[in-house]
Amino acid sequence: MIRVVLADDQSLVRAGFRALLDAQPDIEVAGEAADGEEAVDRVRELRPDVVLMDIRMPRRDGLAATRLITEDPDLGTVRVVMLTTFELDEYVFEALRNGASGFLVKDTEPDELLRAVRTVVDGDALLSPGVTRRLIEEFAARSRPPAATGASSLDRLTGREREVMALVGLGLSNEEIARRLVVSPLTAKTHVSRTMVKLGARDRAQLVVLAYESGLVRPGWLG
């Protein structure tokens, strides 16, 4: 059973999500929160698998709440999906750096919401290739230069793992990586998983961020 916490300051939004999620045989809503402060408390208390986290909330916003959750080693298995009104809300970029596994537009179709919850529980990022490419472009425009320590962290990776990480950073799926490298999708998935373990990445979304911020992926490669 996948356990979910809903964090949104609009009770109507929470009610709609709860009705949809609780109707599924493999998903249950473990708790709700009306602001970021309460969200952190509920997550620490309930230890859910997934948090659907609104960005703009009173007391503590979703960005700060996400950072507290993802930086807590006792909550390492919790996945946070940000809820936003616009597909590329300016705060989404910071949310991904803070450890969010992806984001959903609030008016997403019900089937897409259910798929999203199941996707992040499986450890995959909730980012389409097109969105990933736009995110990297945004990192280029907004973020600090690649960290000086980025290269040393990549020393843990084999040459093939660096290659796979770069392709993940460019927004390719496991199937697309497999075709590019002429390997099986299972082999591609294994390389991605090992890379995440070596770098301590929570999931694929964080691997995308690390690929850019380490300097392994550069905006000029997006063509």
PDB file of all heavy atoms in Angstrom, residues 142-163:
ATOM      1  N   ARG A 142      19.950  30.710 -14.331  1.00  0.00           N
ATOM      2  CA  ARG A 142      19.730  31.152 -12.960  1.00  0.00           C
ATOM      3  C   ARG A 142      20.792  30.728 -11.967  1.00  0.00           C
ATOM      4  O   ARG A 142      21.069  31.420 -11.004  1.00  0.00           O
ATOM      5  CB  ARG A 142      18.389  30.608 -12.431  1.00  0.00           C
ATOM      6  CG  ARG A 142      17.166  31.157 -13.101  1.00  0.00           C
ATOM      7  CD  ARG A 142      15.957  30.376 -12.624  1.00  0.00           C
ATOM      8  NE  ARG A 142      14.738  30.862 -13.279  1.00  0.00           N
ATOM      9  CZ  ARG A 142      13.853  31.639 -12.692  1.00  0.00           C
ATOM     10  NH1 ARG A 142      14.031  32.024 -11.461  1.00  0.00           N
ATOM     11  NH2 ARG A 142      12.778  32.035 -13.343  1.00  0.00           N
ATOM     12  N   SER A 143      21.335  29.536 -12.137  1.00  0.00           N
ATOM     13  CA  SER A 143      22.062  28.935 -11.021  1.00  0.00           C
ATOM     14  C   SER A 143      23.511  29.384 -10.952  1.00  0.00           C
ATOM     15  O   SER A 143      24.052  29.973 -11.871  1.00  0.00           O
ATOM     16  CB  SER A 143      22.011  27.410 -11.107  1.00  0.00           C
ATOM     17  OG  SER A 143      22.860  26.959 -12.119  1.00  0.00           O
ATOM     18  N   ARG A 144      24.100  29.028  -9.850  1.00  0.00           N
ATOM     19  CA  ARG A 144      25.520  29.296  -9.642  1.00  0.00           C
ATOM     20  C   ARG A 144      26.332  28.457 -10.627  1.00  0.00           C
ATOM     21  O   ARG A 144      25.854  27.456 -11.158  1.00  0.00           O
ATOM     22  CB  ARG A 144      25.906  28.913  -8.211  1.00  0.00           C
ATOM     23  CG  ARG A 144      25.523  27.487  -7.840  1.00  0.00           C
ATOM     24  CD  ARG A 144      25.736  27.240  -6.359  1.00  0.00           C
ATOM     25  NE  ARG A 144      25.320  25.898  -5.976  1.00  0.00           N
ATOM     26  CZ  ARG A 144      24.086  25.561  -5.684  1.00  0.00           C
ATOM     27  NH1 ARG A 144      23.108  26.468  -5.753  1.00  0.00           N
ATOM     28  NH2 ARG A 144      23.767  24.323  -5.339  1.00  0.00           N
ATOM     29  N   PRO A 145      27.607  28.815 -10.866  1.00  0.00           N
ATOM     30  CA  PRO A 145      28.451  27.998 -11.741  1.00  0.00           C
ATOM     31  C   PRO A 145      28.620  26.595 -11.171  1.00  0.00           C
ATOM     32  O   PRO A 145      28.434  26.387  -9.971  1.00  0.00           O
ATOM     33  CB  PRO A 145      29.793  28.759 -11.745  1.00  0.00           C
ATOM     34  CG  PRO A 145      29.449  30.142 -11.324  1.00  0.00           C
ATOM     35  CD  PRO A 145      28.297  30.014 -10.365  1.00  0.00           C
ATOM     36  N   PRO A 146      28.981  25.623 -12.029  1.00  0.00           N
ATOM     37  CA  PRO A 146      29.211  24.256 -11.527  1.00  0.00           C
ATOM     38  C   PRO A 146      30.167  24.254 -10.349  1.00  0.00           C
ATOM     39  O   PRO A 146      31.162  24.970 -10.329  1.00  0.00           O
ATOM     40  CB  PRO A 146      29.808  23.532 -12.740  1.00  0.00           C
ATOM     41  CG  PRO A 146      29.234  24.270 -13.906  1.00  0.00           C
ATOM     42  CD  PRO A 146      29.152  25.709 -13.476  1.00  0.00           C
ATOM     43  N   ALA A 147      29.852  23.459  -9.344  1.00  0.00           N
ATOM     44  CA  ALA A 147      30.653  23.432  -8.128  1.00  0.00           C
ATOM     45  C   ALA A 147      32.072  22.967  -8.412  1.00  0.00           C
ATOM     46  O   ALA A 147      32.305  22.083  -9.227  1.00  0.00           O
ATOM     47  CB  ALA A 147      29.990  22.508  -7.100  1.00  0.00           C
ATOM     48  N   ALA A 148      33.023  23.554  -7.703  1.00  0.00           N
ATOM     49  CA  ALA A 148      34.425  23.169  -7.890  1.00  0.00           C
ATOM     50  C   ALA A 148      34.666  21.727  -7.494  1.00  0.00           C
ATOM     51  O   ALA A 148      35.566  21.066  -7.989  1.00  0.00           O
ATOM     52  CB  ALA A 148      35.327  24.100  -7.073  1.00  0.00           C
ATOM     53  N   THR A 149      33.835  21.219  -6.581  1.00  0.00           N
ATOM     54  CA  THR A 149      33.989  19.846  -6.125  1.00  0.00           C
ATOM     55  C   THR A 149      33.259  18.854  -7.014  1.00  0.00           C
ATOM     56  O   THR A 149      33.304  17.652  -6.778  1.00  0.00           O
ATOM     57  CB  THR A 149      33.457  19.700  -4.687  1.00  0.00           C
ATOM     58  OG1 THR A 149      32.071  20.103  -4.668  1.00  0.00           O
ATOM     59  CG2 THR A 149      34.249  20.554  -3.723  1.00  0.00           C
ATOM     60  N   GLY A 150      32.556  19.361  -8.039  1.00  0.00           N
ATOM     61  CA  GLY A 150      31.762  18.476  -8.881  1.00  0.00           C
ATOM     62  C   GLY A 150      32.586  17.414  -9.571  1.00  0.00           C
ATOM     63  O   GLY A 150      32.202  16.242  -9.631  1.00  0.00           O
ATOM     64  N   ALA A 151      33.731  17.785 -10.098  1.00  0.00           N
ATOM     65  CA  ALA A 151      34.553  16.827 -10.832  1.00  0.00           C
ATOM     66  C   ALA A 151      35.012  15.687  -9.941  1.00  0.00           C
ATOM     67  O   ALA A 151      35.031  14.533 -10.340  1.00  0.00           O
ATOM     68  CB  ALA A 151      35.753  17.551 -11.449  1.00  0.00           C
ATOM     69  N   SER A 152      35.399  16.020  -8.688  1.00  0.00           N
ATOM     70  CA  SER A 152      35.882  14.976  -7.802  1.00  0.00           C
ATOM     71  C   SER A 152      34.785  13.978  -7.464  1.00  0.00           C
ATOM     72  O   SER A 152      35.044  12.788  -7.309  1.00  0.00           O
ATOM     73  CB  SER A 152      36.452  15.593  -6.519  1.00  0.00           C
ATOM     74  OG  SER A 152      35.457  16.307  -5.820  1.00  0.00           O
ATOM     75  N   SER A 153      33.550  14.445  -7.341  1.00  0.00           N
ATOM     76  CA  SER A 153      32.456  13.523  -7.048  1.00  0.00           C
ATOM     77  C   SER A 153      32.226  12.573  -8.218  1.00  0.00           C
ATOM     78  O   SER A 153      31.835  11.420  -8.024  1.00  0.00           O
ATOM     79  CB  SER A 153      31.177  14.293  -6.732  1.00  0.00           C
ATOM     80  OG  SER A 153      30.688  14.964  -7.879  1.00  0.00           O
ATOM     81  N   LEU A 154      32.500  13.039  -9.429  1.00  0.00           N
ATOM     82  CA  LEU A 154      32.320  12.184 -10.600  1.00  0.00           C
ATOM     83  C   LEU A 154      33.432  11.149 -10.729  1.00  0.00           C
ATOM     84  O   LEU A 154      33.296  10.196 -11.505  1.00  0.00           O
ATOM     85  CB  LEU A 154      32.261  13.036 -11.876  1.00  0.00           C
ATOM     86  CG  LEU A 154      31.097  14.013 -11.978  1.00  0.00           C
ATOM     87  CD1 LEU A 154      31.130  14.739 -13.314  1.00  0.00           C
ATOM     88  CD2 LEU A 154      29.765  13.311 -11.784  1.00  0.00           C
ATOM     89  N   ASP A 155      34.525  11.311  -9.969  1.00  0.00           N
ATOM     90  CA  ASP A 155      35.610  10.328 -10.018  1.00  0.00           C
ATOM     91  C   ASP A 155      35.158   8.958  -9.531  1.00  0.00           C
ATOM     92  O   ASP A 155      35.798   7.950  -9.821  1.00  0.00           O
ATOM     93  CB  ASP A 155      36.795  10.804  -9.148  1.00  0.00           C
ATOM     94  CG  ASP A 155      37.538  11.966  -9.796  1.00  0.00           C
ATOM     95  OD1 ASP A 155      37.342  12.186 -11.012  1.00  0.00           O
ATOM     96  OD2 ASP A 155      38.295  12.650  -9.088  1.00  0.00           O
ATOM     97  N   ARG A 156      34.058   8.920  -8.793  1.00  0.00           N
ATOM     98  CA  ARG A 156      33.540   7.635  -8.317  1.00  0.00           C
ATOM     99  C   ARG A 156      32.905   6.824  -9.441  1.00  0.00           C
ATOM    100  O   ARG A 156      32.643   5.630  -9.275  1.00  0.00           O
ATOM    101  CB  ARG A 156      32.483   7.864  -7.230  1.00  0.00           C
ATOM    102  CG  ARG A 156      32.919   8.776  -6.106  1.00  0.00           C
ATOM    103  CD  ARG A 156      31.732   9.119  -5.222  1.00  0.00           C
ATOM    104  NE  ARG A 156      31.979  10.334  -4.451  1.00  0.00           N
ATOM    105  CZ  ARG A 156      31.041  11.006  -3.806  1.00  0.00           C
ATOM    106  NH1 ARG A 156      29.802  10.585  -3.828  1.00  0.00           N
ATOM    107  NH2 ARG A 156      31.338  12.098  -3.141  1.00  0.00           N
ATOM    108  N   LEU A 157      32.618   7.463 -10.547  1.00  0.00           N
ATOM    109  CA  LEU A 157      31.886   6.812 -11.630  1.00  0.00           C
ATOM    110  C   LEU A 157      32.827   6.227 -12.673  1.00  0.00           C
ATOM    111  O   LEU A 157      33.903   6.762 -12.930  1.00  0.00           O
ATOM    112  CB  LEU A 157      30.959   7.816 -12.323  1.00  0.00           C
ATOM    113  CG  LEU A 157      29.967   8.577 -11.442  1.00  0.00           C
ATOM    114  CD1 LEU A 157      29.120   9.498 -12.300  1.00  0.00           C
ATOM    115  CD2 LEU A 157      29.097   7.622 -10.638  1.00  0.00           C
ATOM    116  N   THR A 158      32.381   5.131 -13.287  1.00  0.00           N
ATOM    117  CA  THR A 158      33.109   4.601 -14.438  1.00  0.00           C
ATOM    118  C   THR A 158      32.827   5.486 -15.648  1.00  0.00           C
ATOM    119  O   THR A 158      31.912   6.326 -15.626  1.00  0.00           O
ATOM    120  CB  THR A 158      32.645   3.171 -14.747  1.00  0.00           C
ATOM    121  OG1 THR A 158      31.266   3.208 -15.170  1.00  0.00           O
ATOM    122  CG2 THR A 158      32.793   2.266 -13.540  1.00  0.00           C
ATOM    123  N   GLY A 159      33.590   5.290 -16.698  1.00  0.00           N
ATOM    124  CA  GLY A 159      33.356   6.057 -17.909  1.00  0.00           C
ATOM    125  C   GLY A 159      31.956   5.856 -18.454  1.00  0.00           C
ATOM    126  O   GLY A 159      31.298   6.808 -18.886  1.00  0.00           O
ATOM    127  N   ARG A 160      31.469   4.624 -18.430  1.00  0.00           N
ATOM    128  CA  ARG A 160      30.130   4.351 -18.931  1.00  0.00           C
ATOM    129  C   ARG A 160      29.065   5.006 -18.049  1.00  0.00           C
ATOM    130  O   ARG A 160      28.075   5.530 -18.542  1.00  0.00           O
ATOM    131  CB  ARG A 160      29.913   2.835 -19.017  1.00  0.00           C
ATOM    132  CG  ARG A 160      28.510   2.377 -19.454  1.00  0.00           C
ATOM    133  CD  ARG A 160      27.980   3.121 -20.656  1.00  0.00           C
ATOM    134  NE  ARG A 160      28.747   2.977 -21.858  1.00  0.00           N
ATOM    135  CZ  ARG A 160      28.507   2.074 -22.817  1.00  0.00           C
ATOM    136  NH1 ARG A 160      27.539   1.196 -22.668  1.00  0.00           N
ATOM    137  NH2 ARG A 160      29.251   2.057 -23.903  1.00  0.00           N
ATOM    138  N   GLU A 161      29.314   5.018 -16.733  1.00  0.00           N
ATOM    139  CA  GLU A 161      28.346   5.640 -15.830  1.00  0.00           C
ATOM    140  C   GLU A 161      28.289   7.151 -16.034  1.00  0.00           C
ATOM    141  O   GLU A 161      27.211   7.755 -15.971  1.00  0.00           O
ATOM    142  CB  GLU A 161      28.695   5.305 -14.379  1.00  0.00           C
ATOM    143  CG  GLU A 161      28.381   3.852 -14.014  1.00  0.00           C
ATOM    144  CD  GLU A 161      29.019   3.391 -12.723  1.00  0.00           C
ATOM    145  OE1 GLU A 161      29.895   4.128 -12.188  1.00  0.00           O
ATOM    146  OE2 GLU A 161      28.661   2.298 -12.244  1.00  0.00           O
ATOM    147  N   ARG A 162      29.421   7.766 -16.320  1.00  0.00           N
ATOM    148  CA  ARG A 162      29.403   9.200 -16.636  1.00  0.00           C
ATOM    149  C   ARG A 162      28.601   9.453 -17.902  1.00  0.00           C
ATOM    150  O   ARG A 162      27.838  10.415 -17.994  1.00  0.00           O
ATOM    151  CB  ARG A 162      30.830   9.721 -16.830  1.00  0.00           C
ATOM    152  CG  ARG A 162      31.641   9.842 -15.571  1.00  0.00           C
ATOM    153  CD  ARG A 162      32.891  10.638 -15.854  1.00  0.00           C
ATOM    154  NE  ARG A 162      33.826  10.617 -14.748  1.00  0.00           N
ATOM    155  CZ  ARG A 162      34.767  11.525 -14.558  1.00  0.00           C
ATOM    156  NH1 ARG A 162      34.891  12.512 -15.420  1.00  0.00           N
ATOM    157  NH2 ARG A 162      35.574  11.440 -13.535  1.00  0.00           N
ATOM    158  N   GLU A 163      28.796   8.589 -18.883  1.00  0.00           N
ATOM    159  CA  GLU A 163      28.088   8.728 -20.149  1.00  0.00           C
ATOM    160  C   GLU A 163      26.586   8.608 -19.923  1.00  0.00           C
ATOM    161  O   GLU A 163      25.799   9.399 -20.457  1.00  0.00           O
ATOM    162  CB  GLU A 163      28.575   7.643 -21.114  1.00  0.00           C
ATOM    163  CG  GLU A 163      28.109   7.815 -22.540  1.00  0.00           C
ATOM    164  CD  GLU A 163      28.729   6.784 -23.469  1.00  0.00           C
ATOM    165  OE1 GLU A 163      29.382   5.839 -22.977  1.00  0.00           O
ATOM    166  OE2 GLU A 163      28.551   6.918 -24.686  1.00  0.00           O
TER     167      GLU A 163
END
